[in-house]
Amino acid sequence: MESRSLTSPTAACTSEKAPGFSVSLPGFPIAPCGARSSSTGLRYLKASRDARRPPPASHPVLFYLRCSPPYKDRIPFATHPSFRLDHFYYYIIFKDVCPEFSRKLPTILKERETMRIDFNWIQELQQKNIELQRRVTMAPYTSFHIGGPAELVALPDTADKLRACIELARRAKIPYRVLGQASNVLIASAGYPGMIILLRSNWAGLSREGTRLRADAGLTIKRLCDGAMQAGLSGLERLYGIPGSVGGALHNNSGAFGTELSEILESAQILVDGEEKTFTRDQLRFGYRSSLLNDQNHVLVSAVFRLTPGCRQEIKALMEETMAHRTAKQPLDYPSAGSVFKRPAGHYASALIDQCGLKGKQIGGAQVSEKHAGFIINRNQASSGDVTALVAHIQKEVFDQTSVVLECEIETL
Ligand SMILES: NC(=O)C1=CN([C@@H]2O[C@H](COP(=O)(O)OP(=O)(O)OC[C@H]3O[C@@H](n4cnc5c(N)ncnc54)[C@H](OP(=O)(O)O)[C@@H]3O)[C@@H](O)[C@H]2O)C=CC1
Ligand SMILES: C=C(O[C@H]1[C@H](O)[C@@H](CO)O[C@H](OP(=O)(O)OP(=O)(O)OC[C@H]2O[C@@H](n3ccc(=O)[nH]c3=O)[C@H](O)[C@@H]2O)[C@@H]1NC(C)=O)C(=O)O
């Protein structure tokens, strides 16, 4: 009975990405998240991060652990001060498959009672006056309106603070992501087990130097375009309406209507392993929806765009035309993350999806837009699972019917 209950969830475990840290209890090394320990003979199930319910009474659960503080009082043992706060997963350990652990647990708990809970990393950030929020539901921060709680959201407003967030996350082995407008990401409904560093209005300066504009990474593309228009500077008209930030847009070399943002980039200030460096456009190795910023060690701080003098009225008119075109073609009245798939060589993903008869296809609350097949819209309280199931369905159908592999443009966290 118990071994049956272990079988299928184990498969689910292995399919999940290992976030790069592990739980360790003295004397009982537990394998990194997403894997099963066999060398110690300790078998365990890494439960869904959604698993906030106590396990059913029929399960001989010895130990049910989730280490992040907000829920620890709901879960037996997790309240025990012996567990470090450097991991965020639930572990269900079954008594029968782990008699040795069961026997040693009281000793382990006693040993660890003397250990200090490691809140230090959060305190260190607080001491630097970095704005922090705990257990933030991410859905309202995303263009998809999907996403469960992130353990920590940090809103640094200086380069030193940004550096401190990244350094601490690395030192404490906490997963982290730098996000802008979160318009190109799908955040798991179960939440993000680490720190989201948000660069938004806290990081959104814009200044003019002749025909150049210097923009901070968190500035929205809309504000950048508005700034250019007001300064009578041309070059950004076709990018008007792109929903992201300068950082996110350069990260994936965003483009629309035949223009890519990188085309007008002159240089960029980038944090590389804690050190701020200046990169020229060529050094950033821009490609279709890719750049050097795809490497997580490179975080854009600010960018300088070289524009050309133009007529303010004409620039404004072209921006309005671009926006009207977008509104006519794209389902902007529903939450989405824009194009879900990159254009495969020689094809348009949207056209292939359309040809395969997938417009309107719905799984749960997620639907292939009837207006533009390249978009998945959050039609009705979609979960991240609805979206990923629909993505998989589209990829399979398109491959079966056309032999073309569709690669995701959106990033899943
Ligand atoms: N053309 C269109 O109509 C649409 C286009 N998009 C595109 O997606 C872009 C996403 O922008 P945005 O919403 O702000 O991005 P997101 O917040 O969605 O982040 C997307 C990725 O960009 C990276 N990123 C964000 N900020 C930085 C930074 N300062 N330095 C380095 N990497 C960064 C992150 O990488 P990591 O995880 O490694 O930290 C993240 O994975 C838009 O600007 C647009 O280009 C989206 C929707 C529609
Ligand atoms: C929305 C995004 O960017 C968009 C950008 O707004 C638009 C406009 O320039 O061009 C790209 O979309 P796209 O590849 O779907 O381009 P579109 O011009 O809209 O459509 C391409 C082709 O597919 C056809 N098409 C489109 C939608 C549809 O339902 N059916 C269909 O057959 C169109 O007729 C056209 O012949 C960008 N996407 C990618 C992955 O390159 C984004 O990156 O998130």
Side-chain angles (χ1 to χ4, degrees), residues 69-394:
Y71 291 96
K72 66 176 184 175
D73 51 355
R74 296 195 197 168
I75 297 161
F77 288 106
T79 47
H80 202 280
S82 59
F83 299 107
R84 288 170 63 84
L85 293 176
D86 57 359
H87 39 84
F88 301 97
Y89 287 87
Y90 298 94
Y91 285 82
I92 298 175
I93 296 170
F94 293 83
K95 260 185 198 161
D96 66 320
V97 293
C98 183
E100 197 197 352
F101 186 88
S102 175
R103 198 164 37 78
K104 285 197 178 170
L105 186 67
T107 325
I108 292 167
L109 292 177
K110 200 162 187 311
E111 273 171 12
R112 295 197 56 127
E113 224 158 291
T114 54
M115 290 178 71
R116 192 167 43 87
I117 292 177
D118 191 0
F119 273 116
N120 286 353
W121 59 276
I122 295 179
Q123 280 169 359
E124 256 184 85
L125 294 177
Q126 280 167 337
Q127 279 159 10
K128 290 182 190 296
N129 283 331
I130 298 170
E131 189 182 335
L132 299 174
Q133 292 167 23
R134 304 295 307 271
R135 298 291 293 177
V136 179
T137 300
M138 291 306 294
Y141 288 88
T142 70
S143 62
F144 235 144
H145 294 189
I146 296 173
E151 289 298 334
L152 191 69
V153 167
L155 295 138
D157 56 6
T158 66
D160 275 351
K161 292 181 186 179
L162 172 61
R163 200 175 293 123
C165 289
I166 294 172
E167 275 171 11
L168 269 156
R170 286 191 181 162
R171 194 158 16 105
K173 297 194 169 62
I174 299 159
Y176 72 92
R177 298 299 286 255
V178 177
L179 293 184
Q181 289 297 307
S183 70
N184 207 40
V185 289
L186 174 65
I187 300 183
S189 297
Y192 181 71
M195 170 161 48
I196 300 281
I197 302 171
L198 273 186
L199 301 184
R200 292 197 163 185
S201 53
N202 50 317
W203 201 276
L206 177 66
S207 59
R208 182 181 178 176
E209 298 154 16
T211 56
R212 293 177 178 83
L213 287 180
R214 176 181 292 276
D216 284 347
L219 188 79
T220 60
I221 296 298
K222 180 172 186 315
R223 282 187 182 272
L224 175 66
C225 292
D226 286 343
M229 188 264 290
Q230 275 153 21
L233 294 173
S234 172
L236 282 158
E237 293 85 325
R238 286 303 188 192
L239 301 174
Y240 195 69
I242 285 184
S245 65
V246 168
L250 284 176
H251 169 94
N252 74 340
N253 189 16
S254 183
F257 307 110
T259 305
E260 286 176 345
L261 186 59
S262 61
E263 288 167 26
I264 50 162
L265 182 79
E266 184 173 81
S267 65
Q269 288 297 110
I270 293 177
L271 207 56
V272 190
D273 291 328
E275 201 185 325
E276 204 170 308
K277 294 183 176 167
T278 304
F279 284 72
T280 61
R281 180 182 179 282
D282 288 347
Q283 288 172 323
L284 285 172
R285 298 203 293 255
F286 286 108
Y288 169 69
R289 295 296 191 261
S290 71
S291 77
L292 188 66
L293 291 166
N294 295 158
D295 169 357
Q296 208 196 8
N297 283 340
H298 293 68
V299 176
L300 187 89
V301 174
S302 64
V304 176
F305 298 100
R306 188 199 280 268
L307 299 156
T308 50
C311 162
R312 197 187 293 182
Q313 286 316 315
E314 283 173 17
I315 295 168
K316 187 166 186 279
L318 199 46
M319 284 182 179
E320 282 169 359
E321 187 191 303
T322 304
M323 196 64 223
H325 196 71
R326 265 179 187 278
T327 313
K329 299 271 182 200
Q330 300 181 351
L332 305 184
D333 42 350
Y334 282 99
S336 81
S339 297
V340 174
F341 303 101
K342 295 180 184 180
R343 286 180 178 169
H347 300 274
Y348 293 112
S350 335
L352 294 173
I353 297 166
D354 196 350
Q355 282 160 27
C356 291
L358 290 165
K359 267 187 170 173
K361 170 70 189 171
Q362 189 160 344
I363 295 185
Q367 187 187 42
V368 178
S369 166
E370 285 164 332
K371 190 170 178 181
H372 193 303
F375 286 60
I376 288 179
I377 57 169
N378 179 356
R379 173 119 207 167
N380 182 22
Q381 300 185 343
S383 68
S384 60
D386 296 341
V387 177
T388 47
L390 191 51
V391 165
H393 180 80
I394 295 166

